[in-house]
């Protein structure tokens, strides 16, 4: 078992109904995983195999729990995952090759999935690695990624955010106050075969269908699944985000009518208080 890399699965007690499927699928599809795995939650112990639970109580928010968990392990890198992003197919040597590359090239952040396209240059001669520059919106996000622990701590900056605030506020503060201080990349191959399973507290229909097709049935009765209208809306939203021209057009129309996105509102808030984050 390697100790220089750990897997941290961020969760909370309210999502404990997802733990069984998450870890059963991880063990099924990544049965040669050589990295210790930790589940971070509030107060409920996880009884799944090959998992150590880090209990943080109910006082800290998402980044506070993450920072606390980083103090409990001694790895140089962490594979940061969320409990509602399941592994959906067999993991091969590409993940260990990626970690070797990270260690050899001073990579501080390595995103393992490109849910919405990064319209940036490829790294060197690579056909699957894209560069993440400091000014890329949501370039650094909570999608499954490999982090340098030192860089992750710097991004958290001892602040206690919810996961939602971390993605919006912390990203924008990074843009405003400093450039990324190491190589940040996105691997477009989805080498862990991540399948997003829950949104707005409900199971995503497409994820349930894909696992059913594989012969793995997920019991969604306790949590429920998204209604068809909401599912179609989210699919449309994702389609717009994945098409640069359509996304730019929608943003232009929003701007024309004075409609600001959440991230734009937070950008204004942060700029007003810029000195606080220097």
């Amino acid at each position: 078992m390697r100790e220089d890399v750990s897997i941290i699965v961020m969760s909370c007690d309210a999502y404990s109904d997802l733990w069984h499927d998450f870890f059963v699928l991880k063990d099924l599809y990544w049965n040669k995983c050589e990295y210790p795995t930790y589940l971070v939650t509030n107060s409920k112990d996880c009884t799944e195999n090959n998992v150590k639970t880090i209990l943080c109580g109910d006082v800290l928010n998402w980044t506070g729990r993450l920072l606390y968990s980083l103090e409990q392990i001694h790895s140089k890198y962490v594979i940061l995952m969320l409990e509602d992003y399941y592994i959906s197919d067999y993991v091969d040597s590409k993940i260990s090759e990626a970690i070797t590359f990270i260690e050899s090239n001073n990579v501080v952040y390595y995103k393992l999935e490109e849910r919405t396209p990064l319209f940036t240059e490829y790294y060197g001669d690579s056909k699957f690695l894209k560069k993440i520059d400091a000014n890329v919106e949501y370039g650094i996000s909570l999608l499954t990624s490999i982090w340098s622990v030192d860089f992750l701590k710097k991004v958290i900056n001892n602040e206690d955010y919810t996961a939602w605030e971390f993605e919006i506020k912390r990203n924008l503060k990074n843009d405003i106050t400093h450039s990324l201080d190491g190589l940040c990349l996105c691997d477009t191959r989805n080498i862990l075969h991540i399948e997003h399973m829950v949104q707005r507290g409900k199971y995503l229909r497409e994820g349930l269908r894909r696992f059913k097709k594989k012969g793995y049935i997920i019991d969604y009765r306790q949590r429920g699944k998204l209604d068809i209208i909401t599912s179609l809306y989210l699919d449309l939203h994702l389609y717009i985000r994945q098409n640069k021209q359509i996304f730019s057009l929608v943003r232009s129309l929003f701007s024309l009518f004075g409609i600001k996105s959440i991230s734009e509102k937070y950008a204004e808030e942060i700029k007003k208080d810029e000195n606080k984050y220097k």
Side-chain angles (χ1 to χ4, degrees), residues 184-205:
C184 297
L185 300 172
C186 175
D187 190 323
T188 62
R189 297 174 295 174
N190 192 11
I191 58 179
L192 287 185
H193 309 289
I194 297 299
E195 180 75 40
H196 189 196
M197 292 303 299
V198 173
Q199 196 163 356
R200 300 189 178 185
K202 304 290 185 182
Y203 278 106
L204 291 164
R205 289 171 172 265

Side-chain angles (χ1 to χ4, degrees), residues 205 209 225-235:
R205 289 171 172 265
R209 281 196 295 267
K225 58 183 177 181
L226 282 175
D227 61 85
I228 295 176
I229 298 300
T230 304
S231 297
L232 291 173
Y233 167 79
L234 293 175
D235 289 343

Side-chain angles (χ1 to χ4, degrees), residues 44-102:
K44 188 172 182 178
D45 193 36
C46 178
T47 60
E48 301 297 327
N49 294 329
N50 306 315
V51 183
K52 298 179 181 178
T53 311
I54 298 178
L55 302 177
C56 302
D58 297 320
V59 177
L60 299 173
N61 280 319
W62 195 90
T63 57
R65 297 200 304 273
L66 175 55
L67 189 60
Y68 176 80
S69 69
L70 293 175
E71 300 299 330
Q72 311 306 307
I73 63 176
H74 305 287
S75 301
K76 185 177 180 180
Y77 300 96
V78 293
I79 302 173
L80 189 60
M81 305 183 72
L82 303 180
E83 83 286 85
D84 58 341
Y85 284 71
Y86 293 177
I87 296 175
S88 64
D89 208 342
Y90 291 100
V91 177
D92 58 22
S93 62
K94 293 185 184 69
I95 185 66
S96 58
E97 292 167 1
I99 291 172
T100 299
F101 175 85
I102 288 167

Side-chain angles (χ1 to χ4, degrees), residues 133-185:
D133 300 321
N135 62 345
V136 175
E137 185 177 27
Y138 297 107
I140 293 178
S141 72
L142 297 183
L143 292 178
T144 308
S145 305
I146 305 171
W147 294 74
S148 156
V149 170
D150 289 340
F151 181 65
L152 180 53
K153 287 180 178 179
K154 182 176 181 179
V155 172
I156 296 173
N157 196 30
N158 287 318
E159 301 205 43
D160 191 18
Y161 291 124
T162 65
W164 183 75
E165 290 172 331
F166 175 80
E167 284 217 316
I168 296 179
K169 288 187 176 182
R170 189 72 249 167
N171 241 343
L172 291 169
K173 290 174 190 175
N174 284 339
D175 282 351
I176 291 168
T177 60
H178 63 270
S179 297
L180 303 177
D181 57 352
L183 186 58
C184 297
L185 300 172

Side-chain angles (χ1 to χ4, degrees), residues 209-226:
R209 281 196 295 267
R210 287 179 180 174
F211 278 111
K212 184 177 181 180
K213 189 175 181 180
K214 290 174 173 287
Y216 188 88
I217 306 300
I218 294 173
D219 186 352
Y220 60 84
R221 291 174 296 179
Q222 176 180 341
R223 182 168 291 274
K225 58 183 177 181
L226 282 175

